[in-house]
């Protein structure tokens, strides 16, 4: 058996039922495929393509019966269709080749759309008169994937005369050439901004979020943002600082006392730069006008960075003298900018006593701001508004001193004085503004219903009758009468207002709250 026969057997093994390999020239394999319906050229084409094959043209590009709807496979029998195949199979034309009996080939523009076939000794039989015969199809034996038509990592599969591409999820199209816009699926979470990229996408996350899709919460507390002893708590997309003492602000960055606000820096600047920065905040380098303030600021520094800090004090000039204490001569020359002026710091090496240094030195600094009335009072319910550090964006602080009975940052919340359950003995509490009232049940009195009222005082029963107080009600009992011998009628007796008269055992009655 020669190599061509071996190849042919291999092709035959790969064909499905209703298909039969006819001949191969090593480039194309010609196959007859069972068709259904009239043998028109359209039906031949549909049958071939439905089986995964190409539809061969009867001749080359100059053949009148070839068109763009069929494939040039090297056949030349334009006027004598299928003759190339018949000669190879039978050394004769199709009418005398049993293998081509009932096989029809595509013919563009021929006999009202009919295909041409070999039928019962006839050649180029008009196919519209026959049905359910065979279509002549072709399979390309070349490797359709050899030139790697699938782009962007797509996997190529040779389908015989054609190929398919299995694309990665980020690509689409016949050759995986089209980038999928992943941003259409809105993958970025927590208000992240999506940017489509070649084969992927990227998310630009808002503050507080990270990760490929901005789904991972940043632990802002890892950077210790809370100053002055504030305790940090991480929250989804943000954080909160619980401030201690008189510290205020989102990061507890400002210390508030009666008349001033202080901000201790966490960075170092020259005296001039520090002074300018404090002014942009709407403040100034702290003045430190007394020992109490100096000690107070020293304690704040110790609790924080514990390094030297500039304060707003500097010399107007420097006096120099010789070793014998005689004054310097004024006729000497100095280098430009000399002598440098001296500025004052709270020195970490001297228990935060004052010390002078060249103003060009780099030290931390303390900004101070006066506490003033707000230009617009945003506090509610009669609260008083004050502010400090009102210069830079995000630097200002507003405080509300709430009127009695209100709380909240803007005094927006009415304090519910009934929350503490002040009313005793079943009393009902009604909240007011900085007050409450208790509605007491019968038998109790007082602001908080704390007084157990003696219902028998003053004596509510008839003269000489005995009164017994049972907290919420009382009974009246006739003296000297036998039990079971009533001597009264409730309708004729008057219990105090708010009480009902009820018959009791024996010669007694009771007054029960309504």
């Amino acid at each position: 058996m020669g190599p061509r026969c071996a190849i042919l057997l291999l092709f035959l093994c790969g064909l499905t039922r209703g298909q039969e390999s006819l001949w191969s020239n090593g480039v194309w394999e010609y196959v007859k495929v069972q068709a259904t319906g009239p043998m028109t050229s359209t039906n031949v084409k549909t049958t071939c393509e439905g089986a995964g094959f190409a539809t061969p043209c009867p001749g080359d590009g100059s053949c009148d019966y070839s068109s763009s709807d069929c494939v040039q496979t090297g056949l030349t029998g334009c006027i004598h269709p299928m003759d190339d195949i018949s000669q190879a199979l039978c050394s004769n034309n199709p009418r005398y080749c049993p293998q081509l009996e009932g096989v029809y080939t595509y013919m563009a523009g021929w006999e009202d759309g009919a295909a041409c076939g070999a039928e019962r000794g006839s050649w180029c039989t008009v196919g519209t008169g026959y049905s359910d015969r065979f279509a002549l199809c072709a399979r390309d034996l070349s490797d359709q994937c050899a030139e790697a038509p699938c782009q962007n990592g797509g996997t190529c599969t040779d389908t015989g005369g054609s190929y398919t591409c299995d694309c990665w999820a980020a690509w689409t199209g016949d050759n995986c050439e089209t980038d999928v816009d992943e941003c259409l699926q809105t993958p970025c979470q927590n208000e992240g901004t999506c940017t489509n990229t070649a084969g992927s996408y990227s998310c630009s996350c808002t503050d507080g979020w990270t990760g490929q899709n901005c789904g991972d919460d940043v632990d802002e507390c890892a950077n210790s943002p809370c100053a002055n002893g504030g305790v940090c708590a991480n929250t989804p997309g943000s954080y909160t600082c619980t401030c201690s003492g008189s510290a205020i602000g989102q990061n507890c960055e400002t210390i508030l006392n009666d008349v001033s606000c202080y901000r201790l820096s966490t960075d170092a600047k020259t005296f001039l730069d520090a002074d300018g920065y404090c002014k942009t905040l709407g403040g100034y380098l702290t003045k430190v006008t007394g020992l109490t303030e100096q000690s107070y600021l020293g304690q704040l520094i110790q609790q924080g960075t514990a390094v030297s800090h500039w304060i707003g004090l500097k010399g107007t000039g420097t006096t120099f003298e010789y070793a014998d204490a005689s004054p310097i001569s004024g006729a000497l020359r100095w280098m430009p900018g000399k002598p440098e002026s001296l500025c004052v710091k709270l020195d970490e090496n001297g228990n935060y006593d004052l010390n002078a240094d060249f103003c060009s030195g780099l030290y931390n600094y303390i900004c101070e701001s006066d506490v003033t009335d707000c230009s617009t009072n945003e506090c509610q319910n009669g609260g008083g508004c004050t502010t400090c550090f009102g210069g830079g964006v995000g630097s200002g602080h507003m405080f509300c001193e709430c009127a009695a009975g209100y709380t909240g940052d803007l005094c927006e919340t009415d304090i519910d004085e009934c929350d503490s359950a002040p009313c005793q003995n079943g009393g009902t509490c009604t909240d007011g503004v900085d007050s409450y009232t208790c509605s007491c049940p019968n038998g109790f009195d007082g602001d908080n219903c704390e007084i157990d009222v003696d219902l028998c005082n003053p004596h509510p029963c008839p003269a000489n009758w005995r009164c017994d107080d049972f907290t919420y009600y009382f009974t009246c009992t006739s003296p000297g009468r036998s039990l079971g011998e009533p001597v009264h009628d409730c309708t004729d007796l008057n219990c105090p207002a708010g009480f009902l008269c009820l018959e009791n055992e024996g010669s007694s009655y009771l007054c029960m709250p309504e």
Side-chain angles (χ1 to χ4, degrees):
M1 179 183 294
R4 180 171 294 180
C5 294
I7 294 173
L8 182 59
L9 286 176
L10 179 63
F11 292 147
L12 285 171
C13 292
L15 296 175
T16 60
R17 189 173 182 180
Q19 302 175 7
E20 181 182 341
S21 179
L22 297 173
W23 174 67
S24 170
N25 60 9
V27 179
W28 289 90
E29 175 195 14
Y30 295 94
V31 181
K32 68 177 186 179
V33 179
Q34 179 68 57
T36 301
M39 300 310 298
T40 63
S41 288
T42 298
N43 193 20
V44 168
K45 178 178 173 63
T46 300
T47 300
C48 290
E49 293 179 354
F53 299 130
T55 304
C57 293
D60 58 22
S62 63
C63 175
D64 289 341
Y65 302 115
S66 296
S67 74
S68 60
D69 289 334
C70 57
V71 178
Q72 296 292 330
T73 64
L75 297 180
T76 61
C78 179
I79 306 300
H80 306 288
M82 299 189 294
D83 188 59
D84 311 55
I85 301 172
S86 177
Q87 293 297 328
L89 288 174
C90 306
S91 299
N92 210 326
N93 63 54
R95 69 163 58 92
Y96 302 120
C97 190
Q99 292 94 320
L100 291 180
E101 177 67 22
V103 177
Y104 286 75
T105 185
Y106 178 90
M107 293 282 282
W110 185 69
E111 293 291 336
D112 296 325
C116 166
E119 192 74 56
R120 300 176 184 178
S122 297
W123 183 16
C124 230
T125 301
V126 178
T128 51
Y130 294 86
S131 296
D132 304 333
R133 306 299 277 160
F134 294 93
L136 178 67
C137 305
R139 175 162 60 181
D140 191 350
L141 299 181
S142 63
D143 184 0
Q144 300 296 314
C145 295
E147 296 183 3
C150 303
Q151 304 174 31
N152 301 302
T155 302
C156 183
T157 301
D158 188 345
T159 60
S162 187
Y163 63 89
T164 60
C165 291
D166 184 16
C167 305
W168 291 95
W171 300 93
T172 187
D174 291 341
N175 294 330
C176 307
E177 75 282 4
T178 303
D179 178 36
V180 173
D181 187 354
E182 291 86 359
C183 290
L184 295 176
Q185 304 300 320
T186 59
C188 304
Q189 305 171 33
N190 300 302
E191 300 182 357
T193 301
C194 185
T195 301
N196 187 55
T197 59
S200 187
Y201 65 95
S202 64
C203 291
S204 177
C205 303
T206 56
D207 290 342
W209 299 97
T210 188
Q212 180 180 0
N213 294 334
C214 304
D216 299 328
D217 178 37
V218 174
D219 184 3
E220 291 86 357
C221 293
N223 295 323
S224 303
C226 304
N228 299 307
V231 178
C232 184
N234 189 57
T235 61
S238 187
Y239 67 97
T240 59
C241 291
T242 301
C243 302
S244 62
S246 56
I248 58 173
Q250 180 182 356
N251 296 328
C252 309
E253 71 278 7
T254 301
I255 307 295
L256 173 67
N257 68 11
D258 293 338
V259 294
S260 295
C261 289
Y262 299 95
R263 291 186 67 169
L264 279 66
S265 79
T266 56
D267 64 326
K269 297 182 185 294
T270 66
F271 181 92
L272 184 62
D273 288 343
D275 181 56
Y277 180 73
C278 290
K279 289 176 180 176
T280 65
L281 297 180
Y284 46 86
L285 274 174
T286 181
K287 296 177 181 178
V288 189
T289 57
L291 288 177
T292 301
E293 185 179 14
Q294 182 177 355
S295 298
Y296 173 68
L297 293 176
Q299 293 173 6
L300 294 180
I301 294 172
Q302 275 187 312
Q303 296 168 7
T305 56
V307 297
S308 300
H309 282 60
W310 286 126
I311 65 171
L313 186 62
K314 62 179 291 187
T316 57
T318 303
T319 300
F320 294 87
E321 62 182 23
Y322 295 106
D324 62 0
S326 60
I328 189 173
S329 170
L332 301 175
R333 294 191 304 271
W334 289 87
M335 291 289 291
K338 304 292 183 179
E340 294 190 58
S341 59
L342 295 178
C343 297
V344 180
K345 62 182 178 179
L346 294 174
D347 199 324
E348 60 180 304
N349 297 315
N351 195 29
Y352 304 104
D353 289 342
L354 302 185
N355 192 7
D357 202 345
F358 291 120
C359 298
S360 58
L362 295 174
Y363 295 104
N364 285 32
Y365 50 95
I366 303 174
C367 297
E368 181 178 353
S369 171
D370 298 331
V371 177
T372 60
D373 292 337
C374 301
S375 58
T376 301
N377 188 352
E378 297 182 21
C379 305
Q380 304 175 23
N381 299 305
C385 183
T386 53
T387 185
C388 66
F389 286 119
V393 176
S395 66
H397 299 286
M398 186 192 76
F399 322 101
C400 289
E401 183 175 353
C402 299
Y406 292 97
T407 188
D409 292 340
L410 299 177
C411 307
E412 72 279 9
T413 303
D414 177 18
I415 297 174
D416 187 356
E417 285 79 10
C418 290
D419 277 347
S420 61
C423 302
Q424 305 172 29
N425 298 306
T428 301
C429 185
T430 301
D431 180 48
V433 177
D434 194 32
S435 65
Y436 64 92
T437 56
C438 291
S439 177
C440 302
N442 285 318
F444 294 95
D445 201 358
D447 291 341
N448 295 326
C449 306
E450 75 279 9
I451 301 174
D452 184 0
V453 177
D454 184 358
L455 296 178
C456 291
N457 185 20
H459 192 71
C461 300
N464 299 322
W465 285 47
R466 187 181 78 244
C467 179
D468 295 302
D469 182 358
F470 290 94
T471 304
Y472 296 104
Y473 69 94
F474 64 91
T475 62
C476 293
T477 304
S478 173
R481 306 293 297 190
S482 300
L483 291 177
E485 187 179 351
V487 294
H488 59 81
D489 185 351
C490 277
T491 58
D492 297 329
L493 298 170
N494 294 319
C495 287
F499 287 83
L500 294 175
C501 182
L502 300 175
E503 294 288 349
N504 199 16
E505 295 181 354
S507 54
S508 69
Y509 64 91
L510 58 83
C511 290
M512 181 68 67
E514 294 180 346

